[in-house]
Amino acid sequence: WIYNGKRILLVEDNELNQEIAQTILEDAGFMVETANDGVEAVKKMEQAVPGQYDLILMDIQMPVMNGYEAARKIRSSSREDAKNIPIIAMTANAFTEDVEAAYAAGMNEHIAKPLEFERLTGILKKWLG
């Protein structure tokens, strides 16, 4: 499968949503690591070896630190891979201003929840080849 060996950091505070997304991604061949909020995501990114993650799927509405703030912190890191890693916003809010806020925070793409498999596949293909 095309995604074997590709690593995704899945950032999602809702346990059921995290489980569903993880299953979908693992079935597609991805290795998935999870974080339950933005603080944990930033910490995992800071502690990762360069290039450890190929892509970050980031929920927006989370306690402690939301996805926008986490994306900004990752992007402002001095790590070289932090500038280029694709960060995909996942949110139930799919209004134009939500999409614009995701881009303004340094995210590359926006996908509405619940995740549509075809749309997710298209986004993953676009960013991971």
Side-chain angles (χ1 to χ4, degrees):
W1 180 257
I2 189 169
Y3 298 118
N4 278 349
K6 296 281 187 188
R7 297 179 67 92
I8 288 185
L9 178 59
L10 171 64
V11 188
E12 170 64 71
D13 67 311
N14 179 290
E15 199 176 319
L16 181 61
N17 289 347
Q18 188 183 89
E19 212 172 281
I20 291 167
Q22 185 169 358
T23 300
I24 290 168
L25 294 166
E26 287 175 347
D27 285 351
F30 288 100
M31 291 187 289
V32 180
E33 227 176 283
T34 59
N36 298 310
D37 59 52
V39 171
E40 195 178 328
V42 170
K43 186 177 172 186
K44 284 192 175 208
M45 188 65 189
E46 286 171 353
Q47 294 173 347
V49 296
Q52 179 171 332
Y53 302 116
D54 295 294
L55 184 136
I56 300 172
L57 275 173
M58 179 84 72
D59 185 24
I60 297 301
Q61 296 174 311
M62 297 180 290
V64 188
M65 181 189 292
N66 69 36
Y68 298 134
E69 192 178 336
R72 279 192 286 273
K73 281 197 183 298
I74 289 168
R75 289 291 188 226
S76 67
S77 163
S78 60
R79 297 173 56 105
E80 188 56 42
D81 58 345
K83 311 276 182 262
N84 304 320
I85 187 167
I87 303 176
I88 312 303
M90 299 185 301
T91 179
N93 301 331
F95 297 107
T96 305
E97 57 266 23
D98 299 304
V99 176
E100 288 169 358
Y103 291 133
M107 296 178 168
N108 301 87
E109 194 89 42
H110 178 283
I111 186 168
K113 291 197 294 189
L115 296 178
E116 294 174 31
F117 184 74
E118 295 299 318
R119 172 106 169 95
L120 178 61
T121 304
I123 287 173
L124 294 173
K125 206 172 281 185
K126 174 181 175 181
W127 291 101
L128 299 174

